[in-house]
Amino acid sequence: MDKKRKPGIYLLTDTGNPVEIILTWTDGQETRLPRQSPAEALMDFVEFDFSDYRSRVEGLWEEHCVFEERDEVLYADYEDFAAQAVPLAEQLHAAAPAAYWDVQHHAALAEEMTDDGEPIFASRKAFAVLTALRRPYFLQNRMRNIFEIAFADFERGTQQDRFRALEATWPGIVDRSFSVRFLPAREEAAPVGQTREYALSDLYDLCLAELSLYFQQSRQRIARCENCWRYFIPRTEAESRYCYDAADRRPCKEIGPRNMRRFRADTDGALAAYERLRRRLEERANRLELAPPGAESRLIPFDRDQYAAWLELAREAKRDYQAGRISAGEFLRHIDLQGELTPYEAERTELPPPDETPWRNCIKRDMDFVPGGRFADIALLDLREADPAWETVTAESQILHARGGHTSLHDRYRADAPEDLEVSARKLEELTSGERDAETELLARVLQAAAEISLTEEAEAEEEP
């Protein structure tokens, strides 16, 4: 029989797959969550929709008077805040019980803060409660950054590749010391059983324990869908590029390959020529097949069997080209039986490796990296232009530029996708990182000196009696 557990989060497992989570509350009651594999539990948390809960919590931060800048904040303001804030966690009780336990635990610690006599104590205490309420989506953002490092690029890799990428970025992140005990075996002759019980301090500890158990098995793997960029668990050992869900009500397994062919054609002139020629030859075969009697003589003699033979040859040449065994020119010569693609020249756009982009560097430097904290819409006026006009450099364009042009196929080809998204972002980078001319450098120094004089005067004014 289990010993009475202290309030906390407990993870029970015998083989690491599946696991059982037990939430023990301050009143001694326990909630047992449905058994899941570590991969499934991690996926549920990372893909959970906290948007409505988040908007309510952040609304208090933006609007409640307890956070206004004042010389003194009344404790009554904190009490009013707490009366509105604490009940918000109930929104998570049924849908995300582990996140709810975490909020309750840290909010209770915040509410135990005693008045230290500081004029803004009420504001500090309210912020501690707010921080507790924010934990679920802050931790979700952290886990998504961990996922990007470990799982975004390794569908063609192994568990060892995923683990090494994570350890190379944050050494020892999954090598944490959890309180563990072995539960008694069911057989009376065996004093110790195979079931292990991990005592975890909070939601983040739970996520790391699940991540550690995930890397102790190879039956399941986590991958990122190339079409929608959501994470999923492939159902087979075969390489899976697309998930089982839908984007804009179109299954990723259906629309993903189409978008991928379009992307390859957009970034590779040789593949674009291949697609044009394939459609042209297919249409010739169709016209010949559907032509009425006597009309065949006016058409190019290219029938369905010839098309099938060409397609087999072309696909083999395409595989050799994509594997780097032949050049673009050689590929085009192989597939162009009638000399329709000359000259055999083609441009190819190479995106940088995802792991070598400024975006990944931001994540590696800070696992709590939040795009909204770094990228925002910026109004830009380039005075170097003959007829300068204000333009908006969107956060979306800056993010795409920071990612080195990498994005989901769905976002790249959605109906409302803006054209030339990177152009304005490149211009902004050019203006901010390029060398200044003498006039610009002088202006920058004058503005800096003026700012320093202003700050000095303000400081002297505050010191005067």
Side-chain angles (χ1 to χ4, degrees):
M1 185 175 179
D2 291 342
K3 297 179 181 179
K4 187 174 179 62
R5 297 182 178 87
K6 298 178 180 179
I9 301 178
Y10 299 86
L11 184 152
L12 277 66
T13 180
D14 50 4
T15 62
N17 190 20
V19 298
E20 181 179 11
I21 307 299
I22 300 175
L23 307 175
T24 304
W25 309 91
T26 53
D27 60 2
Q29 296 294 314
E30 291 186 348
T31 300
R32 290 178 178 260
L33 305 186
R35 292 169 66 86
Q36 293 179 297
S37 69
E40 292 166 342
L42 287 167
M43 284 286 304
D44 279 356
F45 177 63
V46 166
E47 296 295 342
F48 187 83
D49 184 6
F50 285 109
S51 58
D52 182 61
Y53 171 74
R54 175 176 184 150
S55 66
R56 293 171 184 266
V57 173
E58 294 303 317
L60 286 175
W61 164 249
E62 295 168 2
E63 299 173 6
H64 201 280
C65 65
V66 75
F67 299 118
E68 293 177 359
E69 291 188 18
R70 290 176 286 171
D71 293 335
E72 184 175 2
V73 180
L74 300 177
Y75 196 77
D77 291 338
Y78 163 75
E79 293 175 329
D80 180 74
F81 165 80
Q84 298 179 52
V86 174
L88 291 179
E90 294 299 325
Q91 187 175 341
L92 305 176
H93 195 175
Y100 174 71
W101 185 96
D102 187 84
V103 171
Q104 292 289 89
H105 171 69
H106 287 279
L109 295 177
E111 289 175 325
E112 291 175 0
M113 292 175 60
T114 55
D115 195 341
D116 57 3
E118 288 290 327
I120 60 169
F121 168 76
S123 183
R124 289 195 293 107
K125 186 171 183 178
F127 187 75
V129 173
L130 179 74
T131 301
L133 293 169
R134 284 172 161 174
R135 279 181 58 84
Y137 52 87
F138 275 23
L139 290 177
Q140 183 189 59
N141 180 75
R142 178 182 296 180
M143 291 305 299
R144 284 178 173 173
N145 286 338
I146 289 173
F147 266 43
E148 178 148 354
I149 296 298
F151 306 126
D153 308 326
F154 294 103
E155 172 51 10
R156 300 162 188 81
T158 64
Q159 289 287 68
Q160 288 78 10
D161 294 329
R162 301 177 184 100
F163 182 77
R164 280 194 289 265
L166 197 58
E167 282 291 302
T169 303
W170 301 298
I173 186 173
V174 296
D175 184 22
R176 290 170 62 102
S177 298
F178 304 109
S179 176
V180 184
R181 66 187 176 107
F182 288 87
L183 302 184
R186 293 183 179 179
E187 296 82 4
E188 295 182 0
V192 177
Q194 295 298 312
T195 300
R196 290 167 290 168
E197 179 178 298
Y198 294 80
L200 309 166
S201 60
D202 56 23
L203 181 60
Y204 185 48
D205 261 9
L206 173 62
C207 290
L208 292 183
E210 290 167 343
L211 194 62
S212 176
L213 291 171
Y214 166 83
F215 280 115
Q216 295 175 36
Q217 56 83 46
S218 58
R219 284 171 292 185
Q220 287 186 322
R221 67 189 188 279
I222 296 173
R224 185 166 74 175
C225 175
E226 294 188 12
N227 187 60
C228 67
W229 269 22
R230 289 192 293 262
Y231 292 94
F232 70 106
I233 300 173
R235 296 171 184 168
T236 68
E237 293 184 1
E239 180 182 324
S240 299
R241 294 187 175 186
Y242 310 106
C243 69
Y244 311 99
D245 293 327
D248 292 338
R249 291 185 247 180
R250 304 183 71 180
C252 287
K253 283 194 172 293
E254 173 190 319
I255 194 64
R258 297 182 195 174
N259 284 337
M260 179 58 76
R261 287 193 294 270
R262 183 177 174 184
F263 171 69
R264 286 173 175 166
D266 288 347
T267 56
D268 192 317
L271 293 179
Y274 162 81
E275 284 296 328
R276 288 196 304 272
L277 183 59
R278 183 191 63 79
R279 288 193 295 269
R280 186 184 306 164
L281 296 180
E282 183 179 28
E283 184 59 29
R284 283 178 191 169
N286 289 340
R287 283 198 299 267
L288 191 65
E289 187 175 42
L290 299 174
E296 298 95 333
S297 60
R298 297 193 299 271
L299 300 175
I300 298 175
F302 190 81
D303 60 24
R304 181 66 55 187
D305 291 339
Q306 288 174 298
Y307 174 71
W310 174 87
L311 190 60
E312 183 178 355
L313 172 73
R315 284 176 173 171
E316 183 178 354
K318 181 182 175 184
R319 285 192 291 269
D320 288 341
Y321 169 61
Q322 290 180 314
R325 290 188 286 269
I326 60 176
S327 67
E330 291 172 320
F331 169 52
L332 294 176
R333 287 188 183 91
H334 273 77
I335 65 174
D336 188 15
L337 303 180
Q338 304 294 330
E340 301 178 48
L341 300 179
T342 55
Y344 299 122
E345 298 175 356
E347 293 185 358
R348 189 173 186 175
T349 302
E350 292 283 355
L351 299 181
D355 200 50
E356 298 176 10
T357 59
W359 177 270
R360 286 289 175 85
N361 290 337
C362 288
I363 293 177
K364 291 175 181 179
R365 288 195 300 267
D366 179 11
M367 67 169 59
D368 291 320
F369 166 68
V370 180
R374 182 179 178 87
F375 302 104
D377 291 355
I378 296 175
L380 177 66
L381 180 65
D382 188 356
L383 297 178
R384 300 173 304 175
E385 300 286 348
D387 187 16
W390 286 101
E391 61 179 299
T392 299
V393 183
T394 65
E396 184 182 9
S397 70
Q398 296 173 61
I399 289 173
L400 180 62
H401 186 62
R403 282 176 167 158
H406 295 280
T407 188
S408 70
L409 294 171
H410 169 263
D411 284 350
R412 190 181 298 277
Y413 295 118
R414 69 179 194 265
D416 61 341
E419 298 181 3
D420 299 327
L421 196 59
E422 280 196 89
V423 172
S424 58
R426 284 197 296 268
K427 181 181 288 188
L428 177 65
E429 182 182 52
E430 177 188 344
L431 289 173
T432 55
S433 63
E435 294 186 4
R436 297 170 174 167
D437 56 30
E439 185 177 350
T440 304
E441 184 65 32
L442 177 60
L443 177 60
R445 290 180 180 179
V446 169
L447 291 174
Q448 182 179 1
E452 291 175 354
I453 293 172
S454 177
L455 290 173
T456 303
E457 292 177 347
E458 289 181 7
E460 292 174 349
E462 290 177 359
E463 291 176 359
E464 292 179 0

